Amino acid sequence: MFKKILIANRGEIALRIIRTCREMGIKTVAVYSTADKESLHVRFADEAVCIGPPLSKSSYLNIPNLIAAAEITNADAIHPGYGFLSENAEFSRICQEYGIKFIGATADMINAMGDKATAKATMKLAGVPTIPGSEGLLDSVKEGIKIAHKIKYPVILKATAGGGGRGMRIVNNDDEFEKAWKDAKMEAGASFGNDGLYLEKFVEEPRHIEIQVVGDQYGKVCHLSERDCSIQRRHQKLVEETPSPIVSQKLRDKMGEAAIKGAKSINYEGAGTIEFLVDKHGDFYFMEMNTRIQVEHPITEEVTNFDLIKEQIKVAAGVPISGKNYYPEFHAMECRINAEDPSNGFRPSPGKITNLNIPGGHGVRVDTHIYAGYTIPPNYDSMVAKLIVTARTREEVIVRMKRALQEFVIEGVKTTIPFHIKLMDDAQFKSGQFTTKFLEDFDFSDL
Ligand code: MV4
Protein backbone atom coordinates (compact mmCIF):
# COMPACT_ATOMS: atom_id res chain seq x y z
CA MET A 1 0.00 0.00 0.00
CA PHE A 2 1.09 3.61 -0.59
CA LYS A 3 2.81 5.37 2.31
CA LYS A 4 2.16 8.93 1.22
CA ILE A 5 -0.26 10.43 -1.31
CA LEU A 6 0.05 13.92 -2.77
CA ILE A 7 -3.33 15.45 -3.56
CA ALA A 8 -3.11 17.56 -6.71
CA ASN A 9 -6.32 19.46 -6.03
CA ARG A 10 -8.06 21.87 -3.66
CA GLY A 11 -11.41 22.47 -1.98
CA GLU A 12 -13.83 19.81 -0.84
CA ILE A 13 -12.35 16.99 -2.94
CA ALA A 14 -8.89 17.52 -1.45
CA LEU A 15 -10.43 17.20 2.03
CA ARG A 16 -12.48 14.20 0.92
CA ILE A 17 -9.30 12.40 -0.20
CA ILE A 18 -7.43 13.35 3.00
CA ARG A 19 -10.24 11.80 5.08
CA THR A 20 -9.98 8.43 3.38
CA CYS A 21 -6.17 8.47 3.51
CA ARG A 22 -6.36 9.09 7.28
CA GLU A 23 -8.65 6.09 7.71
CA MET A 24 -6.28 3.97 5.63
CA GLY A 25 -3.17 5.08 7.57
CA ILE A 26 -1.71 6.83 4.51
CA LYS A 27 0.13 10.14 4.97
CA THR A 28 -1.01 13.09 2.85
CA VAL A 29 0.60 16.04 1.12
CA ALA A 30 -1.57 19.03 0.26
CA VAL A 31 -0.55 21.45 -2.46
CA TYR A 32 -1.91 24.97 -2.59
CA SER A 33 -1.76 28.19 -4.53
CA THR A 34 -1.13 31.42 -2.67
CA ALA A 35 -4.90 32.10 -2.92
CA ASP A 36 -5.56 28.92 -0.89
CA LYS A 37 -3.11 29.46 1.95
CA GLU A 38 -5.99 29.60 4.47
CA SER A 39 -7.76 26.57 3.03
CA LEU A 40 -8.76 23.59 5.18
CA HIS A 41 -7.02 21.01 2.99
CA VAL A 42 -3.74 22.74 3.85
CA ARG A 43 -4.52 22.47 7.58
CA PHE A 44 -5.72 18.87 7.58
CA ALA A 45 -3.00 17.29 5.42
CA ASP A 46 0.14 15.99 7.12
CA GLU A 47 2.29 18.26 4.96
CA ALA A 48 1.60 21.14 2.59
CA VAL A 49 3.59 22.61 -0.29
CA CYS A 50 2.88 25.91 -2.02
CA ILE A 51 2.92 25.32 -5.78
CA GLY A 52 2.44 28.80 -7.17
CA PRO A 53 0.29 31.90 -7.63
CA PRO A 54 -3.55 31.91 -7.82
CA LEU A 55 -3.88 31.37 -11.58
CA SER A 56 -4.66 27.64 -12.10
CA LYS A 57 -2.19 27.45 -14.96
CA SER A 58 0.59 28.52 -12.60
CA SER A 59 -0.36 26.24 -9.69
CA TYR A 60 -2.89 23.37 -9.82
CA LEU A 61 -2.13 22.81 -13.53
CA ASN A 62 1.63 23.33 -13.15
CA ILE A 63 3.05 19.85 -13.80
CA PRO A 64 6.73 20.58 -13.00
CA ASN A 65 5.78 22.15 -9.66
CA LEU A 66 3.53 19.21 -8.75
CA ILE A 67 6.19 16.64 -9.60
CA ALA A 68 8.76 18.65 -7.62
CA ALA A 69 6.37 18.77 -4.64
CA ALA A 70 5.92 14.99 -4.83
CA GLU A 71 9.69 14.43 -5.04
CA ILE A 72 10.67 16.65 -2.11
CA THR A 73 7.98 15.12 0.12
CA ASN A 74 8.66 11.55 -1.03
CA ALA A 75 5.06 10.90 -2.06
CA ASP A 76 4.63 7.55 -3.80
CA ALA A 77 1.30 8.38 -5.44
CA ILE A 78 -0.70 11.39 -6.67
CA HIS A 79 -4.49 11.66 -6.45
CA PRO A 80 -5.70 14.28 -8.95
CA GLY A 81 -9.33 14.55 -7.72
CA TYR A 82 -11.66 15.91 -10.44
CA GLY A 83 -11.08 18.77 -12.89
CA PHE A 84 -7.56 20.22 -13.13
CA LEU A 85 -5.16 17.41 -14.24
CA SER A 86 -7.46 14.46 -13.49
CA GLU A 87 -7.92 13.62 -17.18
CA ASN A 88 -4.63 14.93 -18.50
CA ALA A 89 -2.83 12.14 -20.38
CA GLU A 90 0.51 13.93 -20.26
CA PHE A 91 0.38 14.30 -16.47
CA SER A 92 -0.58 10.64 -16.06
CA ARG A 93 2.37 9.64 -18.27
CA ILE A 94 4.84 11.96 -16.50
CA CYS A 95 3.82 10.60 -13.08
CA GLN A 96 4.49 7.10 -14.38
CA GLU A 97 7.89 8.15 -15.77
CA TYR A 98 8.84 9.56 -12.36
CA GLY A 99 7.77 6.37 -10.58
CA ILE A 100 4.82 8.09 -8.91
CA LYS A 101 1.55 6.16 -9.16
CA PHE A 102 -1.17 8.29 -10.77
CA ILE A 103 -4.43 7.35 -9.03
CA GLY A 104 -6.51 7.50 -12.16
CA ALA A 105 -6.43 6.30 -15.72
CA THR A 106 -3.32 5.62 -17.79
CA ALA A 107 -2.39 8.02 -20.59
CA ASP A 108 -3.68 5.48 -23.13
CA MET A 109 -7.10 5.19 -21.49
CA ILE A 110 -7.39 8.97 -21.15
CA ASN A 111 -6.49 9.46 -24.82
CA ALA A 112 -8.86 6.71 -25.95
CA MET A 113 -11.81 8.29 -24.12
CA GLY A 114 -10.81 11.96 -24.49
CA ASP A 115 -11.37 11.95 -28.23
CA LYS A 116 -15.15 11.53 -28.38
CA ALA A 117 -15.38 10.10 -31.89
CA THR A 118 -12.70 7.51 -31.03
CA ALA A 119 -14.41 6.73 -27.72
CA LYS A 120 -17.70 6.19 -29.51
CA ALA A 121 -16.12 3.91 -32.14
CA THR A 122 -14.36 1.92 -29.39
CA MET A 123 -17.61 1.46 -27.45
CA LYS A 124 -19.54 0.51 -30.58
CA LEU A 125 -16.96 -2.14 -31.39
CA ALA A 126 -17.31 -3.47 -27.82
CA GLY A 127 -21.07 -3.86 -28.34
CA VAL A 128 -22.21 -0.83 -26.34
CA PRO A 129 -25.26 0.88 -27.92
CA THR A 130 -24.31 4.13 -29.68
CA ILE A 131 -26.40 6.77 -31.46
CA PRO A 132 -26.65 6.37 -35.27
CA GLY A 133 -24.50 8.86 -37.15
CA SER A 134 -21.20 9.37 -38.95
CA GLU A 135 -18.48 6.74 -38.75
CA GLY A 136 -15.83 8.85 -37.08
CA LEU A 137 -15.11 12.43 -38.18
CA LEU A 138 -16.97 14.23 -40.94
CA ASP A 139 -14.96 15.45 -43.93
CA SER A 140 -17.43 17.92 -45.43
CA VAL A 141 -20.84 19.58 -45.25
CA LYS A 142 -21.88 17.46 -48.24
CA GLU A 143 -21.06 14.22 -46.44
CA GLY A 144 -22.86 15.48 -43.32
CA ILE A 145 -26.03 16.31 -45.23
CA LYS A 146 -25.96 12.88 -46.87
CA ILE A 147 -25.82 11.17 -43.47
CA ALA A 148 -28.50 13.51 -42.10
CA HIS A 149 -30.85 12.36 -44.89
CA LYS A 150 -30.17 8.75 -43.99
CA ILE A 151 -30.72 9.10 -40.21
CA LYS A 152 -33.26 11.94 -40.61
CA TYR A 153 -33.27 15.39 -39.00
CA PRO A 154 -32.86 16.68 -36.33
CA VAL A 155 -29.17 15.80 -36.05
CA ILE A 156 -26.39 17.12 -33.82
CA LEU A 157 -22.85 18.12 -34.75
CA LYS A 158 -20.38 17.43 -31.96
CA ALA A 159 -16.76 18.38 -31.40
CA THR A 160 -14.62 15.29 -31.04
CA ALA A 161 -12.47 17.14 -28.49
CA GLY A 162 -15.62 18.41 -26.79
CA GLY A 163 -17.55 17.81 -23.64
CA GLY A 164 -19.55 20.26 -21.63
CA GLY A 165 -21.61 21.18 -24.67
CA ARG A 166 -19.01 23.35 -26.38
CA GLY A 167 -18.67 22.93 -30.14
CA MET A 168 -22.10 21.33 -30.33
CA ARG A 169 -24.89 22.41 -32.74
CA ILE A 170 -28.35 20.99 -33.43
CA VAL A 171 -29.31 20.97 -37.11
CA ASN A 172 -32.97 20.72 -38.18
CA ASN A 173 -32.70 20.82 -42.00
CA ASP A 174 -30.37 21.13 -44.99
CA ASP A 175 -30.58 24.94 -44.95
CA GLU A 176 -29.19 25.15 -41.41
CA PHE A 177 -26.36 22.69 -42.02
CA GLU A 178 -23.58 24.85 -43.40
CA LYS A 179 -23.85 27.60 -40.77
CA ALA A 180 -24.04 25.08 -37.91
CA TRP A 181 -21.00 23.31 -39.35
CA LYS A 182 -18.98 26.55 -39.55
CA ASP A 183 -20.05 27.70 -36.07
CA ALA A 184 -19.32 24.35 -34.41
CA LYS A 185 -15.93 24.07 -36.15
CA MET A 186 -14.96 27.60 -35.17
CA GLU A 187 -16.01 27.10 -31.54
CA ALA A 188 -14.28 23.71 -31.27
CA GLY A 189 -11.07 25.03 -32.80
CA ALA A 190 -11.01 28.04 -30.48
CA SER A 191 -11.93 26.02 -27.35
CA PHE A 192 -9.89 22.86 -27.83
CA GLY A 193 -7.39 23.52 -30.62
CA ASN A 194 -9.06 20.64 -32.49
CA ASP A 195 -11.96 21.35 -34.85
CA GLY A 196 -12.85 17.75 -35.72
CA LEU A 197 -16.62 17.17 -35.82
CA TYR A 198 -18.84 14.10 -35.91
CA LEU A 199 -22.55 13.79 -36.46
CA GLU A 200 -25.35 11.88 -34.82
CA LYS A 201 -29.12 11.71 -34.61
CA PHE A 202 -30.38 14.28 -32.07
CA VAL A 203 -32.13 12.57 -29.18
CA GLU A 204 -34.88 14.92 -28.02
CA GLU A 205 -35.60 15.38 -24.31
CA PRO A 206 -33.36 12.62 -22.95
CA ARG A 207 -32.30 11.75 -19.40
CA HIS A 208 -28.62 11.86 -18.50
CA ILE A 209 -27.85 8.64 -16.67
CA GLU A 210 -24.36 7.45 -15.82
CA ILE A 211 -23.02 4.16 -14.52
CA GLN A 212 -20.23 4.04 -11.95
CA VAL A 213 -17.65 1.34 -12.64
CA VAL A 214 -14.50 0.17 -10.88
CA GLY A 215 -11.86 -1.93 -12.61
CA ASP A 216 -8.81 -3.62 -11.08
CA GLN A 217 -5.38 -4.43 -12.55
CA TYR A 218 -6.41 -8.01 -13.34
CA GLY A 219 -9.16 -7.35 -15.89
CA LYS A 220 -12.13 -7.45 -13.52
CA VAL A 221 -14.70 -4.66 -13.76
CA CYS A 222 -17.81 -4.20 -11.60
CA HIS A 223 -20.55 -1.57 -11.64
CA LEU A 224 -22.17 0.30 -8.76
CA SER A 225 -25.41 1.17 -10.53
CA GLU A 226 -26.50 4.54 -11.90
CA ARG A 227 -26.71 8.20 -11.08
CA ASP A 228 -29.38 10.37 -12.68
CA CYS A 229 -27.86 13.75 -13.58
CA SER A 230 -30.71 15.19 -15.65
CA ILE A 231 -31.05 18.34 -13.53
CA GLN A 232 -28.52 20.54 -15.28
CA ARG A 233 -28.28 24.16 -16.37
CA ARG A 234 -26.02 24.99 -19.31
CA HIS A 235 -24.24 21.65 -18.89
CA GLN A 236 -23.59 22.30 -15.20
CA LYS A 237 -25.09 19.61 -13.00
CA LEU A 238 -27.01 21.02 -10.05
CA VAL A 239 -28.70 17.94 -8.55
CA GLU A 240 -27.92 14.23 -8.89
CA GLU A 241 -29.70 11.23 -7.46
CA THR A 242 -29.59 7.47 -7.27
CA PRO A 243 -31.43 5.27 -8.03
CA SER A 244 -32.90 7.05 -11.05
CA PRO A 245 -36.70 7.37 -10.86
CA ILE A 246 -36.87 6.07 -14.45
CA VAL A 247 -34.48 3.11 -14.22
CA SER A 248 -36.02 -0.31 -13.59
CA GLN A 249 -33.92 -3.20 -12.30
CA LYS A 250 -34.06 -4.63 -15.81
CA LEU A 251 -32.70 -1.42 -17.37
CA ARG A 252 -30.08 -1.13 -14.60
CA ASP A 253 -28.82 -4.61 -15.40
CA LYS A 254 -28.67 -3.86 -19.12
CA MET A 255 -26.88 -0.52 -18.67
CA GLY A 256 -24.58 -1.99 -16.03
CA GLU A 257 -23.58 -4.85 -18.32
CA ALA A 258 -23.03 -2.44 -21.23
CA ALA A 259 -20.84 -0.23 -19.03
CA ILE A 260 -18.79 -3.21 -17.90
CA LYS A 261 -18.39 -4.43 -21.48
CA GLY A 262 -17.18 -0.98 -22.54
CA ALA A 263 -14.75 -0.61 -19.62
CA LYS A 264 -13.36 -4.12 -20.11
CA SER A 265 -12.75 -3.46 -23.80
CA ILE A 266 -10.16 -0.81 -22.86
CA ASN A 267 -8.80 -2.81 -19.89
CA TYR A 268 -10.09 -0.07 -17.65
CA GLU A 269 -8.46 0.26 -14.26
CA GLY A 270 -9.70 2.51 -11.47
CA ALA A 271 -12.99 4.32 -10.91
CA GLY A 272 -14.76 5.49 -14.05
CA THR A 273 -18.14 6.63 -15.25
CA ILE A 274 -19.93 5.76 -18.46
CA GLU A 275 -22.46 8.42 -19.40
CA PHE A 276 -25.57 7.43 -21.30
CA LEU A 277 -28.49 9.26 -22.84
CA VAL A 278 -31.78 7.49 -22.16
CA ASP A 279 -34.61 8.35 -24.58
CA LYS A 280 -38.35 8.36 -23.92
CA HIS A 281 -38.63 4.71 -24.96
CA GLY A 282 -36.08 3.65 -22.33
CA ASP A 283 -33.43 2.96 -24.98
CA PHE A 284 -29.95 4.00 -23.89
CA TYR A 285 -26.89 5.14 -25.82
CA PHE A 286 -23.24 5.70 -24.92
CA MET A 287 -22.34 9.38 -24.69
CA GLU A 288 -18.94 9.74 -22.98
CA MET A 289 -16.67 8.02 -20.49
CA ASN A 290 -15.12 9.95 -17.61
CA THR A 291 -11.85 8.51 -16.38
CA ARG A 292 -11.88 10.26 -13.00
CA ILE A 293 -13.71 10.33 -9.69
CA GLN A 294 -16.72 12.58 -10.18
CA VAL A 295 -18.17 15.38 -8.10
CA GLU A 296 -21.36 13.36 -7.52
CA HIS A 297 -19.65 10.13 -6.36
CA PRO A 298 -20.95 10.45 -2.75
CA ILE A 299 -24.54 9.53 -3.64
CA THR A 300 -23.27 6.18 -4.92
CA GLU A 301 -21.26 5.76 -1.72
CA GLU A 302 -24.33 6.43 0.40
CA VAL A 303 -26.58 3.86 -1.29
CA THR A 304 -23.96 1.12 -1.77
CA ASN A 305 -22.01 1.65 1.49
CA PHE A 306 -18.77 1.86 -0.48
CA ASP A 307 -15.91 4.37 -0.10
CA LEU A 308 -15.05 5.07 -3.75
CA ILE A 309 -11.85 6.98 -2.93
CA LYS A 310 -10.70 3.96 -0.91
CA GLU A 311 -11.51 1.70 -3.87
CA GLN A 312 -9.52 3.98 -6.19
CA ILE A 313 -6.51 3.84 -3.88
CA LYS A 314 -6.78 0.07 -3.40
CA VAL A 315 -7.00 -0.80 -7.10
CA ALA A 316 -4.16 1.65 -7.86
CA ALA A 317 -2.05 -0.26 -5.31
CA GLY A 318 -2.87 -3.56 -7.04
CA VAL A 319 -5.54 -4.92 -4.71
CA PRO A 320 -8.06 -7.06 -6.66
CA ILE A 321 -11.82 -6.32 -6.54
CA SER A 322 -14.46 -8.97 -5.81
CA GLY A 323 -16.06 -8.55 -9.22
CA LYS A 324 -19.57 -8.32 -7.73
CA ASN A 325 -21.90 -5.50 -8.75
CA TYR A 326 -23.57 -3.23 -6.19
CA TYR A 327 -27.16 -2.03 -6.15
CA PRO A 328 -28.81 0.87 -4.34
CA GLU A 329 -30.14 -0.08 -0.93
CA PHE A 330 -31.39 3.44 -0.20
CA HIS A 331 -32.16 6.61 -2.10
CA ALA A 332 -29.63 9.45 -2.13
CA MET A 333 -29.56 12.93 -3.65
CA GLU A 334 -26.90 15.61 -3.90
CA CYS A 335 -27.48 19.34 -4.19
CA ARG A 336 -24.48 21.34 -5.37
CA ILE A 337 -24.17 24.50 -3.31
CA ASN A 338 -22.39 27.08 -5.44
CA ALA A 339 -21.38 30.61 -4.49
CA GLU A 340 -23.50 31.97 -7.33
CA ASP A 341 -26.58 34.16 -7.55
CA PRO A 342 -29.37 31.99 -9.04
CA SER A 343 -31.64 35.00 -9.64
CA ASN A 344 -28.88 36.71 -11.59
CA GLY A 345 -27.94 34.12 -14.20
CA PHE A 346 -25.93 32.14 -11.62
CA ARG A 347 -23.29 34.86 -11.59
CA PRO A 348 -20.33 33.89 -9.36
CA SER A 349 -20.43 35.46 -5.90
CA PRO A 350 -17.01 35.04 -4.27
CA GLY A 351 -16.13 36.74 -0.99
CA LYS A 352 -16.01 36.28 2.76
CA ILE A 353 -18.38 33.92 4.57
CA THR A 354 -19.46 36.01 7.53
CA ASN A 355 -21.72 33.43 9.17
CA LEU A 356 -22.14 29.71 8.61
CA ASN A 357 -24.36 26.89 9.82
CA ILE A 358 -23.83 23.46 8.32
CA PRO A 359 -26.84 21.11 8.48
CA GLY A 360 -26.67 17.72 10.13
CA GLY A 361 -28.88 15.01 11.57
CA HIS A 362 -29.89 11.60 10.32
CA GLY A 363 -29.09 10.92 6.67
CA VAL A 364 -27.34 14.24 6.08
CA ARG A 365 -23.76 14.47 4.77
CA VAL A 366 -22.01 17.70 3.83
CA ASP A 367 -18.76 17.57 1.86
CA THR A 368 -17.27 21.04 2.06
CA HIS A 369 -14.11 22.99 2.71
CA ILE A 370 -15.75 26.20 3.93
CA TYR A 371 -15.81 27.60 7.46
CA ALA A 372 -17.05 30.79 9.11
CA GLY A 373 -14.62 33.56 8.20
CA TYR A 374 -13.34 31.77 5.07
CA THR A 375 -12.94 33.87 1.93
CA ILE A 376 -14.00 32.13 -1.28
CA PRO A 377 -11.37 33.13 -3.84
CA PRO A 378 -12.60 34.29 -7.26
CA ASN A 379 -10.05 32.15 -9.12
CA TYR A 380 -11.66 28.72 -9.07
CA ASP A 381 -14.86 26.74 -9.40
CA SER A 382 -17.74 28.25 -7.45
CA MET A 383 -18.92 25.02 -5.82
CA VAL A 384 -18.51 25.44 -2.07
CA ALA A 385 -20.41 22.46 -0.66
CA LYS A 386 -22.23 19.28 -1.58
CA LEU A 387 -25.30 18.50 0.48
CA ILE A 388 -25.93 14.77 0.28
CA VAL A 389 -29.09 13.31 1.77
CA THR A 390 -30.01 9.65 2.17
CA ALA A 391 -33.29 7.97 3.17
CA ARG A 392 -35.27 4.88 2.27
CA THR A 393 -37.40 6.46 -0.43
CA ARG A 394 -37.18 9.35 -2.89
CA GLU A 395 -40.10 11.07 -1.14
CA GLU A 396 -38.29 10.92 2.21
CA VAL A 397 -35.09 12.19 0.61
CA ILE A 398 -36.87 15.25 -0.82
CA VAL A 399 -38.45 16.09 2.57
CA ARG A 400 -35.12 15.64 4.35
CA MET A 401 -33.24 17.62 1.68
CA LYS A 402 -35.60 20.57 2.09
CA ARG A 403 -35.17 20.43 5.86
CA ALA A 404 -31.36 20.33 5.53
CA LEU A 405 -31.36 23.18 2.98
CA GLN A 406 -33.39 25.31 5.39
CA GLU A 407 -30.79 24.64 8.11
CA PHE A 408 -27.95 25.58 5.79
CA VAL A 409 -26.94 29.18 6.48
CA ILE A 410 -24.20 30.77 4.39
CA GLU A 411 -23.99 34.53 4.87
CA GLY A 412 -21.78 37.04 3.09
CA VAL A 413 -22.12 35.52 -0.38
CA LYS A 414 -25.04 34.50 -2.61
CA THR A 415 -25.60 30.76 -3.02
CA THR A 416 -27.73 28.29 -4.96
CA ILE A 417 -29.55 27.23 -1.75
CA PRO A 418 -32.76 29.21 -2.60
CA PHE A 419 -32.92 27.46 -5.97
CA HIS A 420 -32.63 24.02 -4.37
CA ILE A 421 -35.37 24.83 -1.83
CA LYS A 422 -37.70 25.87 -4.65
CA LEU A 423 -36.81 22.72 -6.60
CA MET A 424 -37.70 20.46 -3.66
CA ASP A 425 -41.21 22.00 -3.76
CA ASP A 426 -41.61 21.68 -7.54
CA ALA A 427 -44.42 19.30 -8.53
CA GLN A 428 -42.73 18.06 -11.69
CA PHE A 429 -39.42 17.47 -9.93
CA LYS A 430 -41.25 15.59 -7.18
CA SER A 431 -42.99 13.42 -9.79
CA GLY A 432 -39.62 12.22 -11.07
CA GLN A 433 -40.76 12.83 -14.65
CA PHE A 434 -38.39 15.35 -16.19
CA THR A 435 -35.68 15.55 -18.84
CA THR A 436 -32.40 17.40 -19.33
CA LYS A 437 -34.51 20.33 -20.61
CA PHE A 438 -36.32 20.75 -17.28
CA LEU A 439 -34.35 23.80 -16.07
CA GLU A 440 -34.67 25.57 -19.45
CA ASP A 441 -38.12 26.81 -18.47
CA PHE A 442 -37.63 27.03 -14.72
CA ASP A 443 -38.41 30.43 -13.18
CA PHE A 444 -35.30 31.63 -11.35
CA SER A 445 -36.47 35.27 -11.12
CA ASP A 446 -38.04 35.07 -7.65
CA LEU A 447 -35.10 33.45 -5.86
C1 MV4 B 1 -26.69 14.73 -27.24
C2 MV4 B 1 -28.00 15.18 -27.00
C3 MV4 B 1 -29.00 14.71 -27.82
N1 MV4 B 1 -28.72 13.88 -28.84
N2 MV4 B 1 -26.47 13.89 -28.26
C4 MV4 B 1 -24.51 17.48 -23.95
C5 MV4 B 1 -23.09 17.49 -23.49
C6 MV4 B 1 -22.43 16.39 -24.21
N3 MV4 B 1 -21.78 15.54 -23.26
C7 MV4 B 1 -23.48 15.66 -24.97
N4 MV4 B 1 -24.71 16.38 -24.80
C8 MV4 B 1 -25.83 16.01 -25.48
N5 MV4 B 1 -25.65 15.13 -26.49
C9 MV4 B 1 -27.47 13.50 -29.03
N6 MV4 B 1 -27.22 12.66 -30.06
C10 MV4 B 1 -28.19 16.07 -25.94
C11 MV4 B 1 -27.12 16.50 -25.18
C12 MV4 B 1 -27.45 17.43 -24.13
C13 MV4 B 1 -27.41 17.07 -22.80
C14 MV4 B 1 -26.99 15.81 -22.39
C15 MV4 B 1 -26.95 15.47 -21.07
C16 MV4 B 1 -27.35 16.39 -20.12
C17 MV4 B 1 -27.75 17.64 -20.47
C18 MV4 B 1 -27.79 18.00 -21.81
C19 MV4 B 1 -28.21 19.27 -22.17
C20 MV4 B 1 -28.24 19.61 -23.48
C21 MV4 B 1 -27.86 18.70 -24.47
Side-chain angles (χ1 to χ4, degrees):
M1 186 43 67
F2 307 117
K3 289 193 168 56
K4 197 188 271 187
I5 295 177
L6 180 141
I7 299 141
N9 214 304
R10 63 181 299 282
E12 70 83 20
I13 194 64
L15 270 178
R16 167 74 192 82
I17 297 161
I18 290 169
R19 285 181 170 140
T20 287
C21 288
R22 267 283 148 84
E23 292 180 10
M24 295 177 78
I26 300 169
K27 291 262 187 285
T28 54
V29 181
V31 294
Y32 62 98
S33 74
T34 51
D36 279 338
K37 200 172 180 331
E38 307 300 326
S39 240
L40 281 189
H41 75 286
V42 175
R43 294 239 300 258
F44 287 157
D46 295 298
E47 292 170 78
V49 181
C50 182
I51 48 162
L55 212 63
S56 295
K57 268 210 163 311
S58 314
S59 50
Y60 298 105
L61 294 173
N62 186 330
I63 295 176
N65 286 10
L66 288 162
I67 297 291
E71 298 229 291
I72 58 174
T73 56
N74 244 323
D76 43 13
I78 293 183
H79 196 307
Y82 51 69
F84 294 122
L85 296 169
S86 60
E87 290 173 295
N88 185 299
E90 196 194 24
F91 185 54
S92 178
R93 179 180 56 73
I94 291 171
C95 287
Q96 189 168 21
E97 277 171 16
Y98 279 78
I100 303 162
K101 180 67 185 180
F102 179 77
I103 304 175
T106 62
D108 287 346
M109 294 175 215
I110 294 173
N111 283 329
M113 293 299 116
D115 184 90
K116 309 300 172 196
T118 307
K120 183 178 174 181
T122 305
M123 290 298 158
K124 189 177 175 186
L125 206 62
V128 181
T130 55
I131 302 170
S134 60
E135 297 285 336
L137 297 185
L138 277 178
D139 292 321
S140 64
V141 170
K142 200 169 151 226
E143 185 197 358
I145 289 176
K146 208 172 119 192
I147 295 167
H149 287 179
K150 206 162 75 196
I151 62 177
K152 299 203 168 53
Y153 288 108
V155 297
I156 184 167
L157 284 164
K158 290 184 173 182
T160 193
R166 267 187 303 175
M168 228 170 67
R169 289 292 183 283
I170 299 162
V171 191
N172 293 295
N173 53 56
D174 287 358
D175 296 341
E176 290 178 8
F177 206 103
E178 187 156 355
K179 183 175 180 346
W181 165 271
K182 283 183 177 155
D183 289 352
K185 248 190 155 24
M186 185 71 94
E187 194 172 304
S191 307
F192 316 114
N194 172 353
D195 67 0
L197 301 180
Y198 64 104
L199 183 82
E200 53 189 33
K201 174 82 182 163
F202 179 62
V203 179
E204 288 174 87
E205 311 226 2
R207 300 272 295 215
H208 171 134
I209 296 182
E210 57 190 33
I211 302 283
Q212 176 72 54
V213 297
V214 175
D216 68 15
Q217 295 180 2
Y218 314 98
K220 270 196 183 148
V221 179
C222 73
H223 78 75
L224 293 93
S225 301
E226 81 279 6
R227 293 185 288 261
D228 192 321
C229 309
S230 301
I231 302 292
Q232 313 196 353
R233 180 188 171 273
R234 301 195 181 169
H235 305 291
Q236 295 295 322
K237 295 170 185 169
L238 287 168
V239 177
E240 306 94 347
E241 65 179 298
T242 181
S244 166
I246 63 130
V247 173
S248 62
Q249 185 55 38
K250 189 175 154 205
L251 181 56
R252 179 172 300 119
D253 285 334
K254 281 203 290 185
M255 293 180 75
E257 279 320 302
I260 289 174
K261 235 179 353 185
K264 276 191 175 162
S265 77
I266 57 163
N267 299 313
Y268 195 71
E269 176 201 321
T273 302
I274 322 265
E275 295 182 354
F276 293 101
L277 283 182
V278 180
D279 69 15
K280 56 175 177 284
H281 312 292
D283 290 325
F284 64 92
Y285 305 95
F286 171 79
M287 198 165 42
E288 288 175 18
M289 179 168 187
N290 302 317
T291 57
R292 61 169 188 276
I293 193 75
Q294 289 190 268
V295 173
E296 60 272 25
H297 78 276
I299 59 173
T300 299
E301 298 187 320
E302 293 306 311
V303 302
T304 61
N305 196 28
F306 237 88
D307 178 336
L308 283 168
I309 302 289
K310 189 173 179 178
E311 290 313 303
Q312 280 190 299
I313 294 171
K314 279 167 65 179
V315 299
V319 178
I321 62 168
S322 76
K324 270 179 30 189
N325 299 323
Y326 292 85
Y327 299 94
E329 297 189 30
F330 295 97
H331 198 98
M333 187 179 289
E334 170 179 276
C335 288
R336 297 192 188 192
I337 314 299
N338 299 340
E340 295 172 350
D341 181 356
S343 65
N344 223 322
F346 288 75
R347 194 169 68 195
S349 176
K352 185 169 176 167
I353 296 170
T354 52
N355 188 25
L356 178 68
N357 183 66
I358 292 177
H362 187 197
V364 176
R365 165 177 171 182
V366 181
D367 281 16
T368 185
H369 60 293
I370 63 174
Y371 55 86
Y374 175 68
T375 299
I376 302 160
N379 317 79
Y380 312 107
D381 192 273
S382 59
M383 193 181 73
V384 293
K386 305 190 300 203
L387 173 55
I388 303 125
V389 162
T390 308
R392 289 205 183 272
T393 66
R394 186 170 193 271
E395 290 68 33
E396 289 173 284
V397 164
I398 291 172
V399 168
R400 183 169 285 167
M401 184 65 87
K402 187 179 167 190
R403 183 273 287 171
L405 286 161
Q406 288 169 334
E407 275 177 28
F408 213 149
V409 178
I410 305 178
E411 285 173 5
V413 298
K414 293 265 199 268
T415 77
T416 49
I417 292 171
F419 158 72
H420 289 298
I421 292 174
K422 185 172 177 183
L423 185 69
M424 294 305 132
D425 280 329
D426 184 278
Q428 195 188 343
F429 178 71
K430 288 204 269 192
S431 77
Q433 300 305 307
F434 49 81
T435 72
T436 54
K437 286 182 75 167
F438 176 69
L439 291 186
E440 282 180 23
D441 14 71
F442 193 87
D443 178 16
F444 299 102
S445 66
D446 58 344
L447 297 174

